[in-house]
Amino acid sequence: MTSTLLPVVDNSAQAIMDLERDYLLQNYARYPLLLARGKGCYAYDQAGNRYLDFITGIGVNALGHAHPRIVKVLREQASLLIHTSNLYYHQYQGPLAKRLCEMSGMARTFFCNSGTEAIEGAIKMIHSHGRALQAEKYQIIALDNSFHGRSMGALSITGQPKYRRDFEPLLAGVTFVPLNDIAALEAACSDHTAGIVMELIQGEGGINPLTHEYVAKARELADRHNALLVADETQCGVGRPGTYFAYQRSQQVTLPDVVVAAKPVACGLPLGFILANEKAAAAIKPGMHGSTFGGGPLACRVALEFLDVLDELLPSIQQVGGYFHLRLNELARKHSFVKEVRGFGLMVGVELAIPGKQLVLDAMAAGLLLNCTHDTVLRFLPPYIAKEKDVDQAMKILAKLFAKV
């Protein structure tokens, strides 16, 4: 009788980090933390140390970790049907499209895998719409400090040179304007403008909200020049501001022509979408766009369950988000290096007068996960299930760290 010995695998955190260093493309500056599991608002490392997760996979794990309703749906659907491609129908894509259209005020839906893919589709809509009117109508107006993704098209409308410079030349015809500068926006638009693209709350750019007046002017200019107004809600939408989408924050809702989003909608499974009114949707004819993986049965069924849960959580997002803002502003008044607290709902930025990287590392060591964007802005994207007691726990850690600065 022979015995087969299994190879000994070193699963220590350091061994896994070394393996990635040796074999992965070195494009990520990871934090020195290996996560093993999660439950609710907390993630755990291999040693069982607990971390209050207030970054949620950059806004993806909106229902926290291992939410029982999501786990149940995942198990059921995974045993039935995971993928079909878009050659065939399945029972969840249509109902999800209807739900998203009703939430947004749009008419049509396209499913993809990420916010970047959704932006690529929106750019194609803009170009197709413009060129159907005149050959030179392909200008896109985008905002300084914006972030729309890392593909070549998305980079072309990302208003941060550090992301763009290594890949130029990019898409022609893009003009960047300062956010909330109405005069600059109006001066940049012409009859060659085919689209205006904006995040209603800039995420990677430092949690910067657009004013209602600015968004209303963008709508007016898009109408005047027969251009498409695109709202990139990848980070700031799908419940995070306390409304379904950030453009719905104001009582005077300014409807865009196109909405793109992704992150939380399938609770960690890749799923993005484009929502469009009939005018924008008409720009994409059969065969002009597609996706192999987009809108599969597993992701769509999870998304439908997520939206059911989201409806129950929207009031709490507003309440807990307001409480978090209040507590952060109280802390800010005690420390001169805090310049501003901004954002809406559970999308919060704390701008510092100093670099924030070390504070992120110190918070991690103390059991709180967040990150720093734009070098000096601490970014918080707590799970929608967070309670005021979770905010209190985060504030206890932050107060200790800020006192040491």
Side-chain angles (χ1 to χ4, degrees), residues 14-345:
Q14 189 58 56
I16 291 171
M17 292 177 192
D18 289 345
L19 199 62
E20 292 204 1
R21 181 200 61 211
D22 292 343
Y23 291 100
L24 279 185
L25 195 67
Q26 295 299 290
N27 56 315
Y28 295 118
R30 297 194 199 273
Y31 298 127
L33 174 63
L34 190 152
L35 296 175
R37 64 184 182 91
K39 184 70 174 177
C41 294
Y42 289 89
Y44 298 79
D45 65 17
Q46 283 184 313
N49 297 309
R50 190 173 75 161
Y51 302 85
L52 180 59
D53 187 357
F54 265 35
I55 192 61
T56 57
I58 318 182
V60 170
N61 300 320
L63 298 185
H65 300 276
H67 191 284
R69 288 174 60 173
I70 299 302
V71 170
K72 180 176 182 292
V73 166
L74 274 168
R75 285 175 172 163
E76 288 179 0
Q77 188 58 37
S79 68
L80 295 173
L81 190 65
I82 293 175
H83 177 70
T84 62
S85 85
N86 284 298
L87 292 173
Y88 312 105
Y89 294 93
H90 63 76
Q91 67 191 91
Y92 302 111
Q93 197 173 112
L96 180 58
K98 179 176 184 287
R99 186 80 171 271
L100 291 170
C101 287
E102 291 172 345
M103 287 166 47
S104 63
M106 298 290 106
R108 302 280 176 178
T109 308
F110 172 82
F111 291 110
C112 53
N113 303 287
S114 66
T116 297
E117 283 188 26
I119 276 288
E120 290 291 331
I123 291 172
K124 289 173 77 171
M125 276 184 176
I126 289 170
H127 272 236
S128 178
H129 166 78
R131 288 176 181 268
L133 298 171
Q134 56 169 297
E136 299 302 314
K137 191 175 179 67
Y138 58 86
Q139 182 199 32
I140 298 176
I141 306 295
L143 302 190
D144 289 340
N145 215 39
S146 59
F147 183 85
H148 297 288
R150 297 179 186 273
S151 61
M152 295 296 278
L155 279 177
S156 298
I157 59 171
T158 288
Q160 298 188 54
K162 66 180 180 181
Y163 293 117
R164 297 162 52 86
R165 65 172 62 99
D166 292 327
F167 305 103
E168 292 173 335
L170 295 165
L171 194 66
V174 179
T175 301
F176 293 101
V177 296
L179 72 161
N180 293 328
D181 186 333
I182 289 176
L185 178 63
E186 190 159 16
C189 288
S190 73
D191 286 341
H192 290 161
T193 302
I196 303 171
V197 185
M198 53 182 57
E199 301 160 272
L200 275 289
I201 308 170
Q202 290 185 337
E204 200 74 24
I207 319 299
N208 299 302
L210 302 187
T211 65
H212 171 72
E213 292 76 18
Y214 189 77
V215 178
K217 175 56 71 171
R219 176 70 274 169
E220 176 193 323
L221 291 167
D223 291 339
R224 185 191 308 174
H225 297 289
N226 198 356
L228 300 182
L229 179 62
V230 178
D232 184 349
E233 299 260 353
T234 302
Q235 188 168 143
C236 65
V238 200
R240 189 150 293 280
T243 52
Y244 288 129
F245 298 100
Y247 63 84
Q248 297 168 332
R249 287 190 298 106
S250 171
Q251 290 183 343
Q252 299 171 289
V253 174
T254 301
L255 278 177
D257 299 297
V258 180
V259 181
V260 303
K263 287 191 182 294
V265 72
C267 301
L269 296 180
L271 182 64
F273 57 85
I274 304 170
L275 302 170
N277 60 19
E278 294 289 8
K279 173 183 175 180
I284 299 297
K285 306 294 192 298
M288 290 176 66
H289 197 54
S291 171
T292 296
F293 288 98
L298 181 64
C300 284
R301 186 174 174 189
V302 169
L304 282 165
E305 188 70 19
F306 163 74
L307 292 177
D308 283 345
V309 179
L310 176 61
D311 283 342
E312 301 168 11
L313 289 176
L314 279 177
S316 176
I317 292 170
Q318 296 176 18
Q319 177 185 337
V320 176
Y323 181 68
F324 193 21
H325 282 255
L326 177 68
R327 293 295 311 276
L328 284 169
N329 275 301
E330 289 174 351
L331 185 63
R333 287 192 286 272
K334 298 176 183 178
H335 300 282
S336 60
F337 62 87
V338 179
K339 296 174 66 175
E340 187 180 13
V341 177
R342 55 182 180 258
F344 290 92

